[in-house]
Amino acid sequence: MMKNLLASGLIMLAPMAARAVEPTPDLSWLEVQVSPMNFYGRERAIYKNIGREACAGDKDAYVELLEAALDNVAPALTSLAYQSGRNECRFSTLDIRYLTGLYEKAARLGYPLAMTVYGRRLIDGYGVDTDVPTGLMLFELAGQVGYGDAGLEAALELIRGEHLAQDLEAAEKIFNTFKEASPNKGFIERVEKELAKAKAAAGEN
């Protein structure tokens, strides 16, 4: 269903806003074999658990997580990035570029979760030079394999109208398609609120 909504290209839905950067998307991303999240199910569960142990101060768990990340195991890279970015974790770091780099490595391995997180960081310029077109393309690629959060991020872009022309009808269709595929209840509620606020504002104009 995502292909019906986004296969024509999220980037091409509307012109970029004037303040958006204009580089051509890195087409090497298109050569990545993107796999659905269930392909990573077992590994993701393993490294989420190891990451929690490392966060709590287990040095052996941290070394195991780091070694797996160095071996380019995508769920290990994202778990390391997530845990290392939390202040309450034993092995946390304030090096935002390092953390973003971990997500980038996992994204280049075709991991939809990492593609979505890295895509948002590219758009926001968080720990990396801003590259809106590539960020949008990553949402599209992750969404095409059914990753819910990627679809919600795409909906946000259409709601906010910062980098794409605002299109609330398309945003609502994408939101309704992907809200059931996202495990992130808080994110779903945030997008829903932004959509309702934008629709209310549009009705007042």
Side-chain angles (χ1 to χ4, degrees):
M1 189 176 294
M2 178 62 177
K3 290 183 179 180
N4 293 333
L5 291 170
L6 291 183
S8 60
L10 176 63
I11 298 171
M12 302 306 294
L13 281 173
M16 293 293 171
R19 59 181 147 171
V21 294
E22 299 180 352
T24 301
D26 179 0
L27 296 181
S28 67
W29 286 107
L30 297 175
E31 300 173 5
V32 174
Q33 181 62 50
V34 185
S35 300
M37 284 297 291
N38 58 14
F39 176 82
Y40 298 94
R42 183 174 178 275
E43 277 190 336
R44 187 183 182 202
I46 290 171
Y47 289 109
K48 280 180 69 175
N49 185 57
I50 293 174
R52 284 192 289 266
E53 293 173 353
C55 183
D58 187 327
K59 185 176 180 180
D60 290 338
Y62 178 73
V63 170
E64 183 177 357
L65 184 62
L66 187 60
E67 288 178 344
L70 290 172
D71 285 337
N72 287 329
V73 178
L77 284 160
T78 56
S79 182
L80 178 62
Y82 176 71
Q83 299 297 346
S84 297
R86 301 173 64 196
N87 290 332
E88 65 270 25
C89 286
R90 171 65 179 82
F91 301 101
S92 64
T93 177
L94 298 178
D95 189 341
I96 302 302
R97 286 196 172 269
Y98 164 71
L99 299 175
T100 299
L102 294 174
Y103 283 117
E104 179 186 2
K105 286 183 180 180
R108 289 185 178 277
L109 294 170
Y111 188 33
L113 184 155
M115 294 170 76
T116 304
V117 174
Y118 184 58
R120 172 50 62 193
R121 291 184 176 218
L122 280 170
I123 290 171
D124 294 342
Y126 187 69
V128 65
D129 292 341
T130 303
D131 184 347
V132 173
T134 301
L136 293 174
M137 184 170 61
L138 290 177
F139 292 163
E140 182 175 345
L141 292 173
Q144 285 179 0
V145 294
Y147 184 54
D149 283 7
L152 296 182
E153 291 283 9
L156 270 180
E157 289 302 310
L158 292 170
I159 292 168
R160 293 172 176 173
E162 296 175 353
H163 307 107
L164 298 171
Q166 187 182 64
D167 187 334
L168 300 183
E169 183 178 352
E172 187 165 20
K173 287 180 180 178
I174 293 172
F175 172 73
N176 288 333
T177 297
F178 285 97
K179 64 181 180 181
E180 300 300 328
S182 172
N184 193 336
K185 184 178 179 181
F187 188 27
I188 294 170
E189 292 176 350
R190 179 159 63 87
V191 177
E192 191 169 32
K193 287 179 181 178
E194 286 205 33
L195 178 60
K197 184 177 179 181
K199 288 173 69 176
E204 292 173 359
N205 296 332

